[in-house]
């Protein structure tokens, strides 16, 4: 987990800060980062200042590919978002009283966190970086919610003058780019795109922007390169474009992000954050694991434990649980068999089953795990230390 790093506001190419040799075609659509205005009627605030509200606000994506996955993830954490109809932008989570859920476009979630109109949000890391623009009030609470995986990448055509260009260094060294004929880049990432190219030594660049289907721009002759999100790579491939070495700007997935000010100053935000973090971590840890039980003949629990621990994939989370399985013999309860219970990473399941069999395990049962609650989540400890608490 980390707060947003190395995105200093100086990196933004505003018309005032763009180096003379780089011209920008687009106008960066600018949101006001100042607090919402307060209407004063007869000397009283007619509208509550953001700082004065009592409710805690969580912003979730109202539309797009993140929306459904966010609701599903919360549901899997037993946090069901009650939205009466899809056009209603406010909802609640009955398990978290005093929390209001507000559905907003992902970029507006970030803007409103910065403004103080939201306290917490779930969006892609790319959106946090692009629309947070290095604002130090934003703090990433959970950096890997395991959906919305993609990367922000620079891509160029596979053909023509780019045929042998395979790295960002090659691209920067191309003699074609001059003040009269700069590299033309199409991107919706008007903060991160220019910042990245500048940092990588591209001197003569212009940018244009569009809301979608950017991959068409090079073939249409509108741009030489694009900066856009890539997931499977299909859209790039289908449009004869390629990524190049050093051209990945950011690896992204869904994150839980908060306003540092809210966490520290607004009553209850830290408690709700703790509960959400615990539920998310318990669920996300569990989905990568199976519970495996097996029976094993042995003379004692210790002897069985030694056999189990001799295998590299069978140590479980904190070591195996081994319990005697009793049967009645000559009127006495005796244990010839022991039941072993371990947690196994999903990826290592088959290897673990093979190892269990190799040491005499039989009747192997595999079941999914729903939650793994640890004593305290490392992300919580790290958050407290980042907040200086
Ligand atoms: N191809 C993809 N695969 C996986 N995740 C993606 C992909 N494209 C985008 N994302 C993630 O989903 C987020 C939302 O993307 P989406 O296209 O739904 O909304 P948006 O681009 O913010 O909205 P709009 O296109 O209306 O401006 C992105 O910020 C990114 O984190
Ligand atoms: O690598 P892939 O799996 O092919 O995904 C990448 C595409 O997904 C996103 O587009 P989106 O579907 O959001 O469409 P839009 O940007 O044109 O609205 C992104 O802008 C790329 O175009
Ligand atoms: Mg899109």
């Amino acid at each position: 987990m980390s707060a947003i790093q190395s995105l200093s506001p100086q990196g933004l190419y505003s018309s005032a800060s763009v180096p003379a040799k780089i011209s920008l075609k687009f106008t960066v659509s600018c949101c006001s980062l100042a607090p919402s205005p307060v209407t004063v009627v007869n000397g009283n605030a007619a509208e509550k200042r953001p700082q004065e509200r009592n409710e805690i606000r969580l912003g979730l994506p109202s539309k797009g590919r993140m929306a459904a996955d966010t609701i599903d993830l919360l549901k899997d954490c037993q946090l069901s978002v009650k939205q009466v109809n899809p056009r209603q932008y406010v909802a609640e989570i009955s398990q978290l009283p005093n929390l209001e859920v507000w559905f907003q476009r992902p970029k507006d979630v970030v803007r409103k966190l910065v403004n103080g109109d939201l306290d917490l949000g779930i969006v892609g890391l790319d959106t946090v970086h692009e629309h947070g623009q290095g604002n130090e009030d934003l703090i990433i609470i959970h950096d890997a919610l395991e959906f919305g995986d993609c990367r922000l990448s620079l891509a160029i055509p596979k053909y023509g003058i780019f045929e042998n260009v395979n790295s960002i260094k090659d691209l920067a060294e191309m003699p074609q780019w001059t003040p009269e004929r700069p590299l033309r880049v199409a991107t919706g990432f008007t903060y991160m795109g220019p910042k990245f190219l500048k940092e990588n030594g591209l001197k003569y660049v212009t940018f244009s922007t569009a809301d979608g289907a950017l991959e068409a721009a090079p073939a249409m002759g509108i741009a030489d390169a694009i900066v856009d999100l890539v997931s499977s790579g299909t859209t790039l491939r289908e449009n004869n474009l390629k990524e190049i070495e050093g051209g990945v700007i950011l690896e992204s997935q869904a994150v839980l992000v908060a306003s540092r000010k809210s966490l520290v100053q607004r009553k209850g935000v830290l408690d709700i954050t703790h509960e959400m973090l615990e539920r998310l971590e318990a669920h996300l840890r569990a989905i990568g694991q199976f519970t495996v039980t097996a029976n094993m003949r042995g003379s004692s629990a210790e002897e069985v434990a030694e056999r189990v621990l001799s295998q590299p994939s069978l140590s479980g989370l904190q070591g195996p649980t081994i319990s005697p399985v009793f049967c009645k013999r000559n009127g006495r309860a005796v244990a010839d068999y022991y039941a072993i219970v371990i947690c196994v990473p999903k990826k290592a399941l088959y290897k673990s089953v093979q190892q269990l069999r190799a040491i005499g395990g039989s009747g192997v049962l595999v079941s999914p795990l729903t939650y793994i609650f640890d004593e305290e989540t490392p992300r919580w400890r790290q958050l407290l230390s980042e907040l200086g608490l």
Side-chain angles (χ1 to χ4, degrees), residues 94-106:
S94 55
Q95 294 86 350
L96 299 174
N98 204 32
L99 180 82
E100 285 177 354
V101 173
W102 286 92
F103 292 101
Q104 297 286 299
R105 292 172 66 156

Side-chain angles (χ1 to χ4, degrees), residues 63-66 105-107 124 126-127 148-150 229 231 252:
K63 65 180 209 50
R65 65 180 78 232
M66 304 282 280
R105 292 172 66 156
K107 57 185 155 201
D126 55 301
T127 312
D149 291 70
C150 55
L229 296 171
S231 177
S252 178

Side-chain angles (χ1 to χ4, degrees), residues 65 211-215 228-236:
R65 65 180 78 232
D211 284 336
L214 285 172
E215 290 84 352
D228 197 12
L229 296 171
V230 182
S231 177
S232 64
T234 309
T235 316
L236 288 185

Side-chain angles (χ1 to χ4, degrees), residues 73 77 142 144-146 277-290 316-318 343-346 368-379 381:
L73 172 68
C77 299
H142 197 303
L145 296 180
E146 294 184 17
L277 191 55
E278 283 231 281
R279 287 174 181 262
L280 286 165
E281 292 237 27
H283 165 66
L284 292 170
R285 262 195 99 186
I287 53 175
Q289 305 266 338
F290 282 125
L317 288 179
Q318 282 170 328
C343 289
V344 168
K346 281 185 178 167
L369 260 165
T370 314
Y371 299 104
I372 300 174
F373 283 100
D374 236 336
E375 274 175 34
E376 191 54 274
T377 79
R379 284 187 173 90
R381 256 177 272 131

Side-chain angles (χ1 to χ4, degrees), residues 43-280:
N44 294 318
E47 200 183 298
K48 268 190 180 181
R49 279 174 186 275
Q51 290 80 355
E52 287 168 5
R53 65 183 155 80
N54 293 320
E55 310 77 29
I56 294 158
R57 291 180 178 170
L58 167 69
L60 300 182
S62 55
K63 65 180 209 50
R65 65 180 78 232
M66 304 282 280
D69 286 348
T70 305
I71 300 290
D72 290 349
L73 172 68
L74 292 172
K75 199 167 165 201
D76 287 342
C77 299
Q78 305 296 312
L79 296 172
S80 29
V81 180
K82 284 207 195 102
Q83 189 185 15
V84 179
N85 69 62
R87 300 301 296 176
Q88 198 168 24
Y89 294 121
V90 64
E92 58 176 34
I93 297 177
S94 55
Q95 294 86 350
L96 299 174
N98 204 32
L99 180 82
E100 285 177 354
V101 173
W102 286 92
F103 292 101
Q104 297 286 299
R105 292 172 66 156
K107 57 185 155 201
D108 288 330
V109 170
V110 177
R111 289 169 178 167
K112 287 185 163 78
L113 283 166
V114 170
N115 282 350
D117 293 327
L118 289 172
D119 305 308
L120 293 154
I122 294 180
V123 288
L125 185 65
D126 55 301
T127 312
V128 178
H129 279 239
E130 176 63 23
H131 297 281
Q133 303 196 346
N135 190 302
E136 289 187 354
D137 186 51
L138 294 173
I139 183 162
I140 306 292
I141 311 266
H142 197 303
D143 59 348
L145 296 180
E146 294 184 17
F147 69 96
D149 291 70
C150 55
R151 57 189 178 274
L152 181 64
S153 245
L154 177 94
I156 54 173
K158 288 180 183 163
Y159 48 84
I161 55 167
F162 297 102
E163 201 175 340
N164 296 316
V165 175
N166 294 312
S167 70
I168 188 79
K169 193 166 165 282
D170 294 347
L171 184 67
E173 285 170 358
M174 283 174 77
Q176 279 86 348
W177 319 130
T178 64
E180 296 71 40
R181 176 59 177 94
L183 175 77
R184 298 163 308 153
V185 181
T187 186
F189 288 79
T190 57
Y191 171 71
M192 279 200 282
K195 186 173 180 291
F196 174 78
L197 287 165
K198 186 187 174 197
E199 284 167 1
N200 280 279
L202 277 118
K203 287 198 193 114
Y204 308 115
V205 190
T206 55
F207 295 88
S208 59
T209 192
D211 284 336
L214 285 172
E215 290 84 352
M220 290 175 81
I222 300 168
D224 304 302
I226 64 162
V227 167
D228 197 12
L229 296 171
V230 182
S231 177
S232 64
T234 309
T235 316
L236 288 185
R237 234 180 357 262
E238 294 299 323
N239 287 280
N240 261 317
L241 299 173
K242 64 181 178 189
E243 291 179 276
I244 51 177
E245 200 193 317
V248 176
I249 302 168
L250 181 78
E251 294 283 354
S252 178
Q253 61 177 295
V255 299
L256 174 64
V257 55
S259 150
R260 196 183 284 265
K261 224 179 286 157
S262 291
L263 288 167
V264 176
Q265 294 174 4
R266 193 181 299 290
K267 195 166 164 275
V269 177
L270 211 51
D271 287 343
I272 281 195
T273 303
H274 184 228
E275 179 164 348
M276 285 186 71
L277 191 55
E278 283 231 281
R279 287 174 181 262
L280 286 165

